[in-house]
Amino acid sequence: MKRYFSFQWHITDECDQRCKHCYIYSEDSRRAPERMDWEEMRIVLRNCLDFCAANGRLPYFYITGGDPILHPDFWRLLERLNARGIPFTILGNPFHLDDRACARLRALGCEKYQLSLDGMRATHDWLRKPGSFDCTLEKIPVLHRAGIKSVVMTTVSGANIDEVPDIIDAVVEHGADVFAFARYCPTSAERDVGIAPLRYRALLETCDRKFRACEAAGCKTYFNKKDHLWTLYEYETGAFRIPESAKEGVIYGGCNCGNCHLTILPNGDLYACRRVQNSRVANALTDRIADVWINEMEAYRDYPKFKKCANCELLAWCRGCPAVASGAHGDFYGADPQCWKDVV
């Protein structure tokens, strides 16, 4: 079977919010939002499909923004993807979702819709927009009525880490299909996620207990352990073991950057990872992605260069989050600032 290759496609910067931790406006809060026009979208789509054909992959799109539904050709793009049988997920805001919009999304092939909860009511509404906490939870059943899976994502920082267990309770209570969290990536104006390594490990331990209790109680929410430091935690607890069949030099897991993921911005810029601010490798409007993958992307697949992970037995499965490391140190291959493991 062919493996999927994912494209995180930001078709517009337009958004109903100005979140305090948004990387789009982190450098310039007054910048004019960009968006891709229809002809440019057609060029990018052809480029992505050419890449997949050249590499024996199947395309999967994460359509996002900003809020992608605000793009005037949003529905037209989904119709094009649906006509070609290409699966996709939407990463957006809750504000424009109603029964009619969700039914249309599902008819065009939308499999999942990802929403964000970045704290309980006071914290989330401070970070994002007043009223958005309640609006987000209210849209979960709207998505379900249309047959779309609801995904809730939390960005963890020092501002909300203590609220994550309560967020889990809220998403379980409202019947979210999937819950996951990842860490905030510092920008050039800051160098600290605000979480000490052992404090982050304590969060994983607390969440692990809650996940197990929820699963034992029969809750339907799937807990996606997205952060690769989960691998380190489960290695320590015995839930993960290095397979005896593992071969030296083979990468089995960890960060998908340089492996099966690329990001496209509204101006066509192609990024190795959107969370790594200096990871522009080309432009999808002018450069052939299949060529970029062979040449420019090699810089993100030099695994022995990981300063701490290269000496760790979990190199092939973990490597923490290079985006967080890049934000903290300005070095993609730097040590993950929340990794608590002593590596000689």
Side-chain angles (χ1 to χ4, degrees), residues 238-308:
F240 170 76
R241 298 178 185 274
I242 296 175
E244 293 183 1
S245 59
K247 298 179 181 179
E248 186 175 353
V250 177
I251 298 299
Y252 293 95
C255 175
N256 284 327
C257 186
N259 181 16
C260 57
H261 173 85
L262 282 168
T263 297
I264 304 159
L265 300 193
N267 63 1
D269 279 349
L270 195 66
Y271 272 55
C273 173
R274 184 61 184 96
R275 285 157 55 89
V276 180
Q277 292 204 349
N278 60 351
S279 67
R280 182 189 181 280
V281 291
N283 188 284
L285 295 171
T286 58
D287 302 304
R288 186 173 183 240
I289 298 175
D291 295 334
V292 173
W293 188 252
I294 296 172
N295 300 314
E296 285 80 358
M297 284 300 297
E298 275 300 310
Y300 297 90
R301 296 190 284 261
D302 196 353
Y303 299 106
K305 286 179 65 176
F306 279 98
K307 291 181 171 57
K308 181 178 179 180

Side-chain angles (χ1 to χ4, degrees), residues 37-53:
D37 66 34
W38 176 244
E39 182 55 34
E40 290 171 333
M41 292 165 82
R42 292 178 61 193
I43 293 170
V44 167
L45 181 57
R46 285 198 299 268
N47 203 348
C48 292
L49 298 184
D50 168 70
F51 166 85
C52 289

Side-chain angles (χ1 to χ4, degrees), residues 170-186:
V171 299
V172 168
E173 179 184 350
H174 286 79
D177 292 293
V178 181
F179 172 75
F181 59 80
R183 283 167 287 152
Y184 170 64
C185 290

Side-chain angles (χ1 to χ4, degrees), residues 61-207:
F61 285 94
Y62 292 87
I63 306 298
T64 186
D67 190 354
I69 204 169
L70 297 176
H71 193 291
D73 289 313
F74 172 72
W75 298 105
R76 192 178 183 185
L77 175 61
L78 300 196
E79 289 168 356
R80 179 63 59 93
L81 295 177
N82 185 53
R84 291 175 173 266
I86 299 172
F88 62 90
T89 289
I90 303 296
L91 284 60
N93 292 332
F95 311 117
H96 302 283
L97 297 180
D98 55 25
D99 286 316
R100 182 178 180 182
C102 289
R104 190 177 181 187
L105 284 169
R106 186 69 191 104
L108 291 174
C110 179
E111 297 184 339
K112 295 175 286 186
Y113 196 105
Q114 181 174 298
L115 300 162
S116 295
L117 276 185
D118 291 322
M120 296 305 286
R121 184 177 289 104
T123 301
H124 176 91
D125 287 359
W126 171 74
L127 281 167
R128 288 185 169 266
K129 179 180 178 179
S132 61
F133 177 85
D134 291 325
C135 184
T136 297
L137 292 175
E138 289 166 0
K139 299 304 181 178
I140 293 175
V142 180
L143 291 166
H144 291 169
R145 285 197 294 270
I148 299 172
K149 288 186 177 180
S150 59
V151 180
V152 176
M153 182 72 186
T154 295
T155 299
V156 180
S157 69
N160 65 3
I161 184 171
D162 294 330
E163 299 181 33
V164 174
D166 291 332
I167 296 172
I168 295 170
D169 290 338
V171 299
V172 168
E173 179 184 350
H174 286 79
D177 292 293
V178 181
F179 172 75
F181 59 80
R183 283 167 287 152
Y184 170 64
C185 290
T187 68
S188 61
E190 55 194 348
R191 292 298 184 198
D192 189 5
V193 179
I195 307 172
L198 290 180
R199 187 183 183 195
Y200 191 64
R201 189 192 186 283
L203 171 68
L204 298 188
E205 184 174 13
T206 297
C207 290

